[in-house]
Amino acid sequence: MSESKTKRVYGIDLGTTYSAIAFIDEFGKSQIITNSDNERVTPSVVFFESEKNVIVGKIAKESAKTDPRRVVDFVKRQMSDKDWTFTVDDKSYKPEEISAHILRRLAGDANKTGEHQVEDVVITCPAYFGDLERQRTRDAGKLAGLNVIEILDEPVAAAINYGLNNKDSKGKNVIVYDLGGGTFDVTVVSIGNDPNKNEISIVCTEGNHQLGGKDWDDQIVQYYVSEFQNQTGSSADILADQESSYDLRFNAETDKKTLSNKENIKRKVTYEGEKAVVELSREKFDEATAGLLEQTFALTDKVLEEAKEKEVAKIHAFLLVGGSTRMPQIKAKVTERYGASLGITPVEFDVDEAVAKGAAKSGEIHVIKKRLDDAIRAMTDGEDIDTLPENKRKDITEKAVSKTAGDYELPTTTVIDIKETTIKKVATKSYGIRALKNGQPVVRNLIIKQTPVPTEGNQTFGTAGANADEIDLVVYVNNESEADTQEDMSEQLGNAVFKLDGNLPAKAPIEITFQLDDQGSLTLVGLDKTYGKTITANFKSDGVMTKEEIEKAETKQKDITILC
Ligand code: AMP
């Protein structure tokens, strides 16, 4: 038995509020792993009980009511903040370290289910995460002792789960409206028409990583506070008190979920000996949160417009994904707004699980394709198979398919299916550099968002003086679609330093190329055009841990036991 047989790839939806882990069973179906609380999703909440003991999940969430200073949640929202840390017992933790604890809990639960140890994983992230957040998500996996084979966009994962499980999805354009606990993204996906191929192409995507179910909860919290003040005449600031504030937030989420099934709820709010009983109707809740919903519509309009520009005008299916789409207002208002204009009825689609399941499927595709490529390479002695005569090509491909199927104990049809699967993605951000235009500083985007990836863009610069020994460029990321944009519309990613030999004349041309791979990872390459020499660049997004920091954090992780 080959080593690979016992190795599975796991798909992890590392969510802002809840996370889930899935694998592909022997029938090729994605299965969610139930956690040790017997639930299919695990709250992404971390409770530092002591320096050595960290509790992740339901108990951590409940502990926040009594011990809020030791509990951290919504950490995914901090992935883009280079300076954010959570401090407890005089120790500070970066977002990737806290995310690693969540991943360790998920992997630990999966390890308990059988003989398969979790090692190779695909972790999902919001589509519009940039290089920094993606690298940090990858590092979180590494810190958790996992081998991250792919960082996959959440809507792509949902689309894979939809496209590969619905044979009637062929030739359809689908919009995925994903409203989770802390993030929103909306994506147009095109599913290829060829019956012998599985082609899933992302057309365009938009999103807001500060918009999710939490914001709906916050509206309820605000309402409770103001009603408490009205009823009691107290002007006390309940939210200034951490325990009461957490209690209110916790109750608000519970009440929001109840309002998905009931029309009215009552909530007792007590503070400093005063008590109020607050009533909230679904109608009032919907009214108070209409502005939030409108923000999702603005992005949906934008993505539909962008799809039209790319000649994807007809949308055949509208999928609602993410726990927050359980709120009745979402389906009702989305239908009202888009049902008639697009001529379709939005449908909930595997709301809590689509992303983890799609990630597991993507992992399987990744691994099987790689194994198939390796088998082909071994059979062609490293020669490119496309250069061989057709009959030889066919013969080798069949043998490689059969070997891979045997190694993985899969039907050959499954391996052929995977071989014919392609997932095409787009850049979800624009990447540029600081440049001067008519004497004014601008950000010149070398990669423009919504361009299919992998992609690259370049620009040639002249060295300032003779014998310069480096070029130092400031790299930016932004959401703009123009070639030139302003610095205040962009976020600085970091500095790229290109080392030169120091023997170039003044104004020597140096070509800088940005390469973005299909996982959203940015690499910078330089070319000294005078001598035709490639120049190495030192670049990593500011805020990404250094090798030494990773090693230190790995040691820190080893000291900590993760409890449920
Ligand atoms: P996700 O990130 O997709 O796991 O979604 C989590 C979000 O969905 C959280 O904000 C939850 O409060 C919310 N959610 C889950 N179930 C419901 C429900 N029945 N009604 C309203 N919101 C829900």
Side-chain angles (χ1 to χ4, degrees), residues 177 216 282-283 285-294 296-297 300-301 318 320 325 327-341 344 346:
Y177 174 104
W216 271 256
R282 188 189 288 168
E283 197 183 342
F285 172 58
D286 290 355
E287 236 176 70
T289 52
L292 297 171
L293 195 56
E294 201 49 49
T296 70
F297 290 164
T300 307
D301 290 347
F318 199 124
L320 302 172
T325 60
M327 290 184 287
Q329 57 167 265
I330 305 290
K331 190 169 177 191
K333 294 285 175 189
V334 168
T335 306
E336 202 179 296
R337 176 94 166 215
Y338 299 103
S341 61
I344 43 176

Side-chain angles (χ1 to χ4, degrees), residues 244-403:
S244 307
S245 161
Y246 212 101
D247 206 29
L248 268 189
R249 272 170 54 196
F250 190 90
N251 292 337
E253 194 201 356
T254 309
D255 295 346
K256 173 188 72 177
K257 289 182 179 172
T258 308
L259 280 175
S260 294
N261 296 313
K262 276 177 73 184
E263 294 286 342
N264 293 286
I265 45 130
K266 276 189 189 163
R267 167 65 57 191
K268 196 162 76 185
V269 182
T270 53
Y271 188 63
E272 289 182 339
E274 304 269 16
K275 187 180 96 178
V277 176
V278 183
E279 288 187 32
L280 179 60
S281 67
R282 188 189 288 168
E283 197 183 342
K284 197 163 201 77
F285 172 58
D286 290 355
E287 236 176 70
T289 52
L292 297 171
L293 195 56
E294 201 49 49
Q295 288 184 46
T296 70
F297 290 164
L299 290 165
T300 307
D301 290 347
K302 193 167 176 213
V303 90
L304 285 170
E305 204 45 52
E306 284 166 351
K308 228 185 251 171
E309 281 166 21
K310 292 185 160 189
E311 285 166 23
V312 177
K314 175 81 191 138
I315 302 287
H316 304 90
F318 199 124
L319 306 184
L320 302 172
V321 177
S324 297
T325 60
R326 289 192 197 285
M327 290 184 287
Q329 57 167 265
I330 305 290
K331 190 169 177 191
K333 294 285 175 189
V334 168
T335 306
E336 202 179 296
R337 176 94 166 215
Y338 299 103
S341 61
L342 298 177
I344 43 176
T345 307
V347 287
E348 287 110 338
F349 172 68
D350 221 353
V351 165
D352 299 310
E353 302 182 355
V355 171
K357 286 179 175 172
K361 193 74 200 165
S362 180
E364 186 194 45
I365 294 168
H366 217 80
V367 165
I368 302 275
K369 275 194 162 188
K370 181 167 183 315
R371 184 51 71 96
L372 192 58
D373 282 350
D374 290 347
I376 290 175
R377 208 167 306 116
M379 288 176 196
T380 60
D381 286 331
E383 220 177 301
D384 181 357
I385 188 163
D386 291 334
T387 61
L388 300 178
E390 199 187 329
N391 58 346
K392 197 149 184 218
R393 211 162 57 209
K394 203 165 156 252
D395 184 46
I396 288 179
T397 305
E398 272 171 16
K399 281 189 185 137
V401 164
S402 146
K403 177 174 184 332

Side-chain angles (χ1 to χ4, degrees), residues 27-45:
F27 307 107
K29 285 257 159 276
S30 294
Q31 300 290 355
I32 293 284
I33 296 170
T34 305
N35 68 16
S36 42
D37 301 318
N38 212 17
E39 282 166 358
R40 293 166 76 80
V41 291
T42 302
S44 308
V45 185

Side-chain angles (χ1 to χ4, degrees), residues 444-455:
R444 164 80 35 92
N445 282 326
L446 301 188
I447 288 174
I448 309 255
K449 72 177 207 176
Q450 316 294 16
T451 308
V453 287
T455 185

